[in-house]
Amino acid sequence: MLVHTMPATGQDGMSMKRPGYAIALALIAPSTVLAVNIADTRMLAMPAVHGERVAFVYDNDLWLGARSGGSARRLTQAAGQETSPHFSPDGRWLAFSADYGDNTDVYVMPAGGGEVRRLTWHPGQDIVRGFTPDSASIIFESPDGHYTNRLRYLYTVPVAGGVPTRLPVPSGSKAALSADGKTLAYTLVPERFLQWKNYRGGTQSRIWLMNMADYSVKEVPKPAGGSNDTDPMWIGDTLYFNSDRAGEFNLFRYDAQGAVSQLTTLRDFPVTDPNADAGDVIVFEQAGYLHEFDTRSGVQKRIAMSAVSDLAETRPRLASDLKWLRESAASPDLKRMAFNYRGE
């Protein structure tokens, strides 16, 4: 059976790898020509920034390039999918999540590339959310210990390895600690707007600010019609975040005086996975390209990045597994069956 396959993914974007079962279904993929611009590559995702360096995900691997654009080099090539890269504030480390060995865990490597070390071992999905300000520990989201799969806890784990420590929140998804370590910005529940655009239901994504001294909390104020606020980031004592409060997702700022202001006005596609460094720059993905936003000047520009890959996942190859069977229907006389297999 010859099919043109791409890796199957779940709602969180991670690979769905389960034991295979043979299926008597033969499909032949049409011959296609891939129009990939190797000088200005598209479909780059989940960027992270530190100084002049940008890490991102492409072709199921991590890549490293410059904010000025140009040629990027591959950092990982192991079987499995890497996601959610984050640089440590001191620029020494690059943390990420990966599904090596059929489970998603937290890994860390030198920021310039090198040996990868595994830091978590829980059988659930552990998703990297950032670092502590001293660069000594990685903040991650995990279902470990929670009474329901609908919610998650936030943990830290030392870069050197060790037992994870739970942060003092009842549940959490995305999170960032301020540079002085005094305030934790976090979202409470997984995001619903991934399924429903402009979602305004009861589990809208909210950003809470916890005082780490007395555990008191306050919410970043929402407009009257509601909004989904997510991706909290700190630059100094100012909180930056991603929100659909003006329609499409764009960058916003919540300053020390409690005022919220909009920074970008992109309309055709949402701002996705923004990431800030210890300086003044935020990088994000929009329409499949990487962008940067300078918080001092207010200037936004696209990064033209070259990521040259053999795109192994696009090769036609034999595939036989019930996990790619999506739909089925029987004829009225029950003598024939129709199946949807990988979209065909």
Side-chain angles (χ1 to χ4, degrees), residues 98-180:
D99 63 349
Y100 306 150
D102 290 334
N103 191 69
T104 302
D105 289 283
V106 174
Y107 292 81
V108 69
M109 67 190 304
E115 181 182 358
V116 173
R117 291 186 291 111
R118 182 176 177 177
L119 297 180
T120 65
W121 304 85
H122 181 260
Q125 292 188 332
D126 299 335
I127 309 299
V128 171
R129 296 307 186 194
F131 277 81
T132 54
D134 59 5
S135 299
S137 296
I138 297 164
I139 301 171
F140 68 97
E141 166 195 348
S142 176
D144 184 11
H146 218 297
Y147 69 93
T148 172
N149 288 331
R150 295 178 59 250
L151 300 175
R152 304 288 188 269
Y153 282 135
L154 293 171
Y155 291 86
T156 62
V157 63
V159 171
V163 178
T165 301
R166 206 182 96 192
L167 291 174
V169 296
S171 67
S173 181
K174 296 181 176 179
L177 266 172
S178 60
D180 58 11

Side-chain angles (χ1 to χ4, degrees), residues 28-299:
I28 299 179
S31 176
T32 59
V33 177
L34 299 176
V36 178
N37 185 345
I38 62 173
D40 187 9
T41 310
R42 204 165 189 177
M43 303 304 292
L44 312 183
M46 298 184 177
V49 63
H50 186 276
E52 297 301 315
R53 294 180 297 180
V54 176
F56 59 91
V57 174
Y58 177 67
D59 191 26
N60 289 341
D61 283 316
L62 293 180
W63 298 67
L64 184 67
R67 273 177 45 211
S68 57
S71 180
R73 64 184 177 89
R74 209 178 204 123
L75 293 179
T76 61
Q77 56 183 358
Q81 185 177 5
E82 296 87 0
T83 61
S84 307
H86 286 266
F87 284 105
S88 60
D90 62 8
R92 293 183 59 199
W93 305 106
L94 183 64
F96 59 96
S97 295
D99 63 349
Y100 306 150
D102 290 334
N103 191 69
T104 302
D105 289 283
V106 174
Y107 292 81
V108 69
M109 67 190 304
E115 181 182 358
V116 173
R117 291 186 291 111
R118 182 176 177 177
L119 297 180
T120 65
W121 304 85
H122 181 260
Q125 292 188 332
D126 299 335
I127 309 299
V128 171
R129 296 307 186 194
F131 277 81
T132 54
D134 59 5
S135 299
S137 296
I138 297 164
I139 301 171
F140 68 97
E141 166 195 348
S142 176
D144 184 11
H146 218 297
Y147 69 93
T148 172
N149 288 331
R150 295 178 59 250
L151 300 175
R152 304 288 188 269
Y153 282 135
L154 293 171
Y155 291 86
T156 62
V157 63
V159 171
V163 178
T165 301
R166 206 182 96 192
L167 291 174
V169 296
S171 67
S173 181
K174 296 181 176 179
L177 266 172
S178 60
D180 58 11
K182 295 181 179 180
T183 307
L184 175 69
Y186 68 99
T187 61
L188 194 66
V189 297
E191 296 162 341
R192 310 304 183 200
F193 58 78
L194 298 177
Q195 287 77 38
W196 299 286
K197 188 169 183 175
N198 295 320
Y199 172 74
R200 293 295 184 266
T203 53
Q204 294 172 54
S205 184
R206 305 170 185 273
I207 295 178
W208 294 89
L209 303 177
M210 173 179 280
N211 185 319
M212 298 300 286
D214 60 11
Y215 303 142
S216 61
V217 296
K218 65 177 180 179
E219 182 186 353
V220 173
K222 288 180 177 293
S227 64
N228 290 284
D229 301 337
T230 185
D231 300 314
M233 301 164 284
W234 292 97
I235 296 180
D237 61 354
T238 301
L239 178 73
Y240 293 84
F241 63 99
N242 197 13
S243 178
D244 64 354
R245 58 181 58 208
E248 190 56 273
F249 275 95
N250 275 281
L251 294 178
F252 287 78
R253 174 174 52 215
Y254 179 65
D255 60 32
Q257 289 71 45
V260 176
S261 54
Q262 185 171 350
L263 304 177
T264 61
T265 56
L266 296 163
R267 298 297 180 194
D268 51 348
F269 290 94
V271 167
T272 305
D273 295 315
N275 182 277
D277 69 356
D280 300 286
V281 173
I282 298 172
V283 294
F284 59 91
E285 181 262 321
Q286 194 261 352
Y289 293 112
L290 302 187
H291 299 250
E292 70 167 53
F293 179 82
D294 190 314
T295 59
R296 292 172 299 176
S297 65
V299 173

